[in-house]
């Protein structure tokens, strides 16, 4: 877990060094939500960002959930009260749904055009942990926690209306968790500049 802290600090240093290369604008504090329509990934984040003439950066606390949502079957063969064995033809099947919860931090650096309607393009890193859990494991409190790292490209457009900033975006996570394949993630942030 110590290497995750070091990697996060390096990511934060990278994001802030990118910001400091340009004349710094006001900080923007925002909240946002995102969803993967063709998959199972959705989440929310709280962010602080700043940008200069061409470059910017963002640091976020991120919570998202996903998973393969595959129902796994547990088949039970059993003996009856009178001692007869019931093979597969007379089994009971219990299905469990599998999910994951991700919690961590992300750093994001981007290039933008510095306009009122401001398109940007950048790359970010997510560092955190994932809790993999099936409904059966959750019932018996035997879920597993694992570290997870992710990189994501992101494209978005900032709409700046006085001190309010509305930012729809699209990103794609590539992470070290192999529970499911990544799809496009669509989101929106609502921010206030100070």
């Amino acid at each position: 877990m110590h290497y995750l802290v070091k990697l996060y600090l390096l990511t934060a240093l990278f994001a802030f060094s990118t910001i400091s290369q340009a004349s710094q604008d006001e900080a923007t504090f925002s909240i946002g939500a995102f969803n993967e329509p063709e998959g199972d990934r959705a989440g929310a984040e709280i962010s602080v960002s700043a940008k200069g003439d061409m470059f910017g950066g963002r640091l976020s606390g991120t919570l998202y959930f996903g998973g393969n949502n595959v129902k796994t079957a547990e088949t039970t063969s059993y003996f009856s009260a009178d001692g007869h064995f019931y093979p597969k033809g007379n089994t009971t099947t219990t299905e469990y749904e599998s999910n994951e919860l991700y919690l961590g931090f992300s750093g994001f650096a981007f290039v933008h055009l510095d306009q009122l309607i401001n398109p940007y393009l950048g790359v970010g890193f997510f560092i955190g942990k994932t809790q993999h859990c099936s409904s059966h494991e959750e019932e018996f409190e035997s879920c597993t926690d694992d570290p997870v790292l992710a990189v994501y490209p992101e494209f978005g457009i900032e709409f700046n209306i006085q001190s309010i900033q509305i930012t729809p975006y699209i990103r794609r996570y590539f992470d070290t968790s192999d529970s499911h394949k990544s799809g496009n993630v669509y989101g929106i942030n609502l921010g206030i500049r100070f």
Side-chain angles (χ1 to χ4, degrees), residues 134-149:
S134 72
S135 54
H136 180 262
E137 290 169 328
E138 190 172 341
E139 183 180 339
F140 292 99
E141 298 180 0
S142 59
C143 301
T144 57
D145 286 345
D146 294 310
V148 64
L149 305 174

Side-chain angles (χ1 to χ4, degrees), residues 92-111:
T92 59
T93 301
T94 308
E95 292 185 339
Y96 301 110
E97 187 169 329
S98 181
N99 289 292
E100 285 190 309
L101 176 69
Y102 299 81
L103 176 65
F105 299 93
S106 63
F108 180 74
F110 59 94
V111 178

Side-chain angles (χ1 to χ4, degrees), residues 18-175:
T18 302
I19 295 168
S20 65
Q21 290 175 8
S23 58
Q24 203 167 359
D25 199 356
E26 304 98 354
T28 302
F29 295 91
S30 60
I31 58 171
F34 54 90
N35 184 39
E36 182 181 327
E38 296 184 13
D40 304 304
R41 200 185 303 257
E45 60 188 353
I46 298 174
S47 307
V48 59
S49 61
K51 61 182 188 286
D53 294 334
M54 290 181 56
F55 302 101
R58 179 176 70 224
L59 293 176
S60 305
T62 308
L63 172 69
Y64 69 97
F65 61 91
N68 52 16
N69 280 333
V70 170
K71 292 190 173 181
T72 57
E74 179 183 271
T75 304
T76 308
S77 298
Y78 59 91
F79 286 95
S80 68
D82 61 0
H84 289 91
F85 176 73
Y86 287 87
K88 288 184 179 179
N90 296 316
T91 60
T92 59
T93 301
T94 308
E95 292 185 339
Y96 301 110
E97 187 169 329
S98 181
N99 289 292
E100 285 190 309
L101 176 69
Y102 299 81
L103 176 65
F105 299 93
S106 63
F108 180 74
F110 59 94
V111 178
H112 67 97
L113 299 180
D114 198 24
Q115 304 293 319
L116 287 178
I117 299 176
N118 187 28
Y120 68 88
L121 178 65
V123 64
F125 302 91
F126 172 83
I127 300 166
K129 70 174 186 175
T130 176
Q131 183 181 72
H132 180 77
C133 215
S134 72
S135 54
H136 180 262
E137 290 169 328
E138 190 172 341
E139 183 180 339
F140 292 99
E141 298 180 0
S142 59
C143 301
T144 57
D145 286 345
D146 294 310
V148 64
L149 305 174
V151 62
Y152 60 92
E154 180 178 311
F155 171 75
I157 300 175
E158 296 175 346
F159 295 93
N160 297 290
I161 306 163
Q162 294 185 2
S163 63
I164 303 295
Q165 188 178 85
I166 301 169
T167 310
Y169 62 84
I170 180 172
R171 69 173 62 142
R172 179 174 281 228
Y173 284 102
F174 299 95
D175 62 46

